[in-house]
Amino acid sequence: MKLWKGRFQKEADPKTNDFNSSISIDSRMAQEDIVGSIAHASMLGECGIIGKEESEKICDGLRKIAEDLEKGTLAIDPDAEDIHTFVEGELTARIGSAGKRLHTARSRNDQVALDIRLTLRENGKAIRGQLAELIGVLCEKAEQYSATVMPGYTHLQRAQPITFGHHLMAYCEMLLRDLSRLEDALRRMDVMPLGSGALAGTTYPLDRELTARLLGFSQVSQNSLDGVADRDFCAELAFFSSMTMVHLSRFCEELVLWCSWEYKFVELDDAFSTGSSIMPQKKNPDIAELIRGKSGRVFGDLMGLLAMMKGLPLAYNKDMQEDKEAVFDAIDTLRLCLTPLIPMVKTMTVLEENMRAAAAKGFINATDCADYLVAEKGMPFRDAYKATGELVALCIQKGLTLETLPLEEYRRVCDNFDEGVYEAISLEKCVKDRKVLGGPAPENVVSQVRRVRELLAKMERGTEK
Ligand code: ARG
């Protein structure tokens, strides 16, 4: 039965009823809806807006509904219009007339604005934990492979020598920014909207601060229209999720490349790989590909949210019911992707020799060869660059590397070269000397790992408070 039956002469058309209903999406907010209602009813009781006894009866009834839902002894009615209607109806069926007082000084518009926040707050905390865990695993690997030489790429062409630890720490930096974006979004979402009513607040003397305290919010919303019409927090979390998925998709793309025979820099554990139904030799990085692929739907969720909100007049419009499906899909997909990614990275085998062998090909120490002429022989960089370019061409012609090219050949191109060049272009020295702040030297990787671990520990202390 509809809440608004008094005003209407007909039942809703059944198909239209389904179309209008949001129960299939918002039933996941059942516990949050109940928690919000308990706080609201307690506040109503405290303020003398409803009787103390009624308030207690309502809260008890709601707690029992929460328990029954948890135990599975109460099923959510799929024909209910939304979770708010279902909970209120169930309460009234159980406790009688007191239940009818729950919705005093409240609208589903401020109620839903609260429920989404409560749901996202819990999910946000879970994602924070997962991201911190992934960063921790990357730090472990980076520490272990802080001195492992690999080619760094630009244009996917071997460019300059770096360390595998440094490469992994680049992802830690991205993920730390993602974490801070999440913290930001959660902080801005930390606003309690109940009391906004349908749009114009209420004439009842509510203690909104009390409701906020009961629900663990640090602030109350300051404008009733904005309180019910704001969905910035959904878009912000969808953007945070999208940006994080961009980063995960880049990492996963690299894992896919690194698993190929063309690279063979890493081997994924069998538990996180798949085979082929026809090709017996195959071991595929499906998980990494799927994460790469799922990033697309998260961007879609963000676009959908922005397009849904664009141009909406104040205050609540039914369009906004579409918010939950999008933002929940964004965060669910992110959580889903992080779940296998963390153990997959933890268990992957790093094939250091293959990285080293790839680094030895492709003349990635050519810049260091030119730098040697500049530092040791005082040549202008542009001249040193040109001489080294000629040497590379010569090596290609002769099928040699800069390491194996005889000194006479070096000297034929530029007589400034002497024996010292071989030490200058040794890959180990090339990475060891790149110890400028932010560079890939093994000692830098170790201190980067320390710094990131300290940051994580500080964040953890901050969120415990
Ligand atoms: N199911 C609705 C939503 O998700 C709840 C708010 C309904 N408010 C209304 N005025 N119809 O947005």
Side-chain angles (χ1 to χ4, degrees), residues 22 26 82 84 108-109 112 316 318 321 324:
S22 56
D26 58 28
D82 53 32
H84 328 294
R108 281 182 301 162
N109 295 354
V112 74
Y316 177 83
K318 189 75 170 204
Q321 179 163 283
K324 286 169 284 301

PDB file of all heavy atoms in Angstrom, residues 22 26 82 84 108-109 112 316 318 321 324, ligand 1:
ATOM      1  N   SER A  22      12.937   1.775  -6.253  1.00  0.00           N
ATOM      2  CA  SER A  22      14.406   1.709  -6.174  1.00  0.00           C
ATOM      3  C   SER A  22      14.846   0.613  -5.213  1.00  0.00           C
ATOM      4  O   SER A  22      16.006   0.535  -4.855  1.00  0.00           O
ATOM      5  CB  SER A  22      14.962   3.063  -5.729  1.00  0.00           C
ATOM      6  OG  SER A  22      14.383   3.452  -4.496  1.00  0.00           O
ATOM      7  N   ASP A  26      18.392   0.114  -3.361  1.00  0.00           N
ATOM      8  CA  ASP A  26      18.619   0.716  -2.039  1.00  0.00           C
ATOM      9  C   ASP A  26      18.402  -0.246  -0.877  1.00  0.00           C
ATOM     10  O   ASP A  26      18.653   0.105   0.269  1.00  0.00           O
ATOM     11  CB  ASP A  26      17.856   2.043  -1.856  1.00  0.00           C
ATOM     12  CG  ASP A  26      16.353   1.923  -2.024  1.00  0.00           C
ATOM     13  OD1 ASP A  26      15.822   0.833  -1.768  1.00  0.00           O
ATOM     14  OD2 ASP A  26      15.731   2.935  -2.396  1.00  0.00           O
ATOM     15  N   ASP A  82      10.697   1.723  -1.847  1.00  0.00           N
ATOM     16  CA  ASP A  82      12.123   1.868  -1.540  1.00  0.00           C
ATOM     17  C   ASP A  82      12.367   1.377  -0.117  1.00  0.00           C
ATOM     18  O   ASP A  82      11.429   1.009   0.596  1.00  0.00           O
ATOM     19  CB  ASP A  82      12.619   3.310  -1.754  1.00  0.00           C
ATOM     20  CG  ASP A  82      11.791   4.345  -1.006  1.00  0.00           C
ATOM     21  OD1 ASP A  82      11.271   4.014   0.076  1.00  0.00           O
ATOM     22  OD2 ASP A  82      11.684   5.482  -1.509  1.00  0.00           O
ATOM     23  N   HIS A  84      13.209   2.934   2.553  1.00  0.00           N
ATOM     24  CA  HIS A  84      12.654   3.786   3.622  1.00  0.00           C
ATOM     25  C   HIS A  84      11.200   3.402   3.902  1.00  0.00           C
ATOM     26  O   HIS A  84      10.779   3.280   5.045  1.00  0.00           O
ATOM     27  CB  HIS A  84      12.743   5.269   3.229  1.00  0.00           C
ATOM     28  CG  HIS A  84      13.929   5.577   2.377  1.00  0.00           C
ATOM     29  ND1 HIS A  84      15.214   5.455   2.863  1.00  0.00           N
ATOM     30  CD2 HIS A  84      14.053   5.958   1.079  1.00  0.00           C
ATOM     31  CE1 HIS A  84      16.059   5.759   1.891  1.00  0.00           C
ATOM     32  NE2 HIS A  84      15.384   6.064   0.801  1.00  0.00           N
ATOM     33  N   ARG A 108      11.682  11.580   3.037  1.00  0.00           N
ATOM     34  CA  ARG A 108      12.599  10.609   2.440  1.00  0.00           C
ATOM     35  C   ARG A 108      13.749  11.320   1.724  1.00  0.00           C
ATOM     36  O   ARG A 108      14.783  10.735   1.468  1.00  0.00           O
ATOM     37  CB  ARG A 108      11.852   9.704   1.454  1.00  0.00           C
ATOM     38  CG  ARG A 108      11.057   8.609   2.149  1.00  0.00           C
ATOM     39  CD  ARG A 108      10.385   7.736   1.137  1.00  0.00           C
ATOM     40  NE  ARG A 108       9.492   8.516   0.294  1.00  0.00           N
ATOM     41  CZ  ARG A 108       9.031   8.105  -0.887  1.00  0.00           C
ATOM     42  NH1 ARG A 108       9.376   6.939  -1.365  1.00  0.00           N
ATOM     43  NH2 ARG A 108       8.217   8.861  -1.582  1.00  0.00           N
ATOM     44  N   ASN A 109      13.531  12.602   1.425  1.00  0.00           N
ATOM     45  CA  ASN A 109      14.594  13.332   0.724  1.00  0.00           C
ATOM     46  C   ASN A 109      15.820  13.545   1.610  1.00  0.00           C
ATOM     47  O   ASN A 109      16.953  13.351   1.169  1.00  0.00           O
ATOM     48  CB  ASN A 109      14.069  14.676   0.216  1.00  0.00           C
ATOM     49  CG  ASN A 109      12.996  14.499  -0.837  1.00  0.00           C
ATOM     50  OD1 ASN A 109      12.733  13.373  -1.265  1.00  0.00           O
ATOM     51  ND2 ASN A 109      12.366  15.586  -1.251  1.00  0.00           N
ATOM     52  N   VAL A 112      17.218   9.850   2.527  1.00  0.00           N
ATOM     53  CA  VAL A 112      18.067   9.160   1.542  1.00  0.00           C
ATOM     54  C   VAL A 112      19.440   9.837   1.466  1.00  0.00           C
ATOM     55  O   VAL A 112      20.474   9.169   1.330  1.00  0.00           O
ATOM     56  CB  VAL A 112      17.376   9.058   0.151  1.00  0.00           C
ATOM     57  CG1 VAL A 112      17.351  10.370  -0.596  1.00  0.00           C
ATOM     58  CG2 VAL A 112      18.056   7.987  -0.696  1.00  0.00           C
ATOM     59  N   TYR A 316      15.122  18.475  -4.542  1.00  0.00           N
ATOM     60  CA  TYR A 316      15.132  17.069  -4.935  1.00  0.00           C
ATOM     61  C   TYR A 316      14.365  16.848  -6.235  1.00  0.00           C
ATOM     62  O   TYR A 316      13.316  17.449  -6.470  1.00  0.00           O
ATOM     63  CB  TYR A 316      14.508  16.200  -3.829  1.00  0.00           C
ATOM     64  CG  TYR A 316      14.432  14.727  -4.222  1.00  0.00           C
ATOM     65  CD1 TYR A 316      15.531  13.902  -4.070  1.00  0.00           C
ATOM     66  CD2 TYR A 316      13.275  14.192  -4.790  1.00  0.00           C
ATOM     67  CE1 TYR A 316      15.485  12.575  -4.457  1.00  0.00           C
ATOM     68  CE2 TYR A 316      13.220  12.859  -5.176  1.00  0.00           C
ATOM     69  CZ  TYR A 316      14.337  12.053  -5.002  1.00  0.00           C
ATOM     70  OH  TYR A 316      14.297  10.740  -5.399  1.00  0.00           O
ATOM     71  N   LYS A 318      13.454  13.366  -8.927  1.00  0.00           N
ATOM     72  CA  LYS A 318      13.517  11.902  -8.942  1.00  0.00           C
ATOM     73  C   LYS A 318      14.704  11.381  -9.756  1.00  0.00           C
ATOM     74  O   LYS A 318      15.171  10.266  -9.547  1.00  0.00           O
ATOM     75  CB  LYS A 318      12.204  11.326  -9.463  1.00  0.00           C
ATOM     76  CG  LYS A 318      12.092   9.829  -9.321  1.00  0.00           C
ATOM     77  CD  LYS A 318      11.817   9.378  -7.885  1.00  0.00           C
ATOM     78  CE  LYS A 318      11.478   7.903  -7.856  1.00  0.00           C
ATOM     79  NZ  LYS A 318      10.693   7.537  -6.677  1.00  0.00           N
ATOM     80  N   GLN A 321      17.431   9.576  -7.971  1.00  0.00           N
ATOM     81  CA  GLN A 321      17.369   8.183  -7.535  1.00  0.00           C
ATOM     82  C   GLN A 321      18.409   7.340  -8.294  1.00  0.00           C
ATOM     83  O   GLN A 321      18.810   6.277  -7.828  1.00  0.00           O
ATOM     84  CB  GLN A 321      15.955   7.635  -7.784  1.00  0.00           C
ATOM     85  CG  GLN A 321      15.774   6.196  -7.387  1.00  0.00           C
ATOM     86  CD  GLN A 321      14.302   5.827  -7.257  1.00  0.00           C
ATOM     87  OE1 GLN A 321      13.653   6.166  -6.286  1.00  0.00           O
ATOM     88  NE2 GLN A 321      13.781   5.141  -8.259  1.00  0.00           N
ATOM     89  N   LYS A 324      22.477   6.197  -6.757  1.00  0.00           N
ATOM     90  CA  LYS A 324      23.002   5.074  -5.988  1.00  0.00           C
ATOM     91  C   LYS A 324      23.584   3.980  -6.874  1.00  0.00           C
ATOM     92  O   LYS A 324      24.669   3.472  -6.601  1.00  0.00           O
ATOM     93  CB  LYS A 324      21.899   4.507  -5.083  1.00  0.00           C
ATOM     94  CG  LYS A 324      21.623   5.418  -3.901  1.00  0.00           C
ATOM     95  CD  LYS A 324      20.384   5.042  -3.132  1.00  0.00           C
ATOM     96  CE  LYS A 324      19.106   5.427  -3.820  1.00  0.00           C
ATOM     97  NZ  LYS A 324      18.980   6.894  -4.083  1.00  0.00           N
TER      98      LYS A 324
HETATM   99  N1  ARG B   1      14.046   6.322  -3.596  1.00  0.00           N
HETATM  100  C1  ARG B   1      14.284   7.732  -3.548  1.00  0.00           C
HETATM  101  C2  ARG B   1      15.703   8.076  -4.012  1.00  0.00           C
HETATM  102  O1  ARG B   1      16.486   7.177  -4.016  1.00  0.00           O
HETATM  103  C3  ARG B   1      14.106   8.241  -2.144  1.00  0.00           C
HETATM  104  C4  ARG B   1      13.636   9.629  -2.075  1.00  0.00           C
HETATM  105  C5  ARG B   1      12.241   9.702  -2.574  1.00  0.00           C
HETATM  106  N2  ARG B   1      11.734  11.008  -2.513  1.00  0.00           N
HETATM  107  C6  ARG B   1      10.729  11.406  -3.256  1.00  0.00           C
HETATM  108  N3  ARG B   1      10.359  12.630  -3.123  1.00  0.00           N
HETATM  109  N4  ARG B   1      10.147  10.622  -4.144  1.00  0.00           N
HETATM  110  O2  ARG B   1      15.995   9.150  -4.385  1.00  0.00           O
END
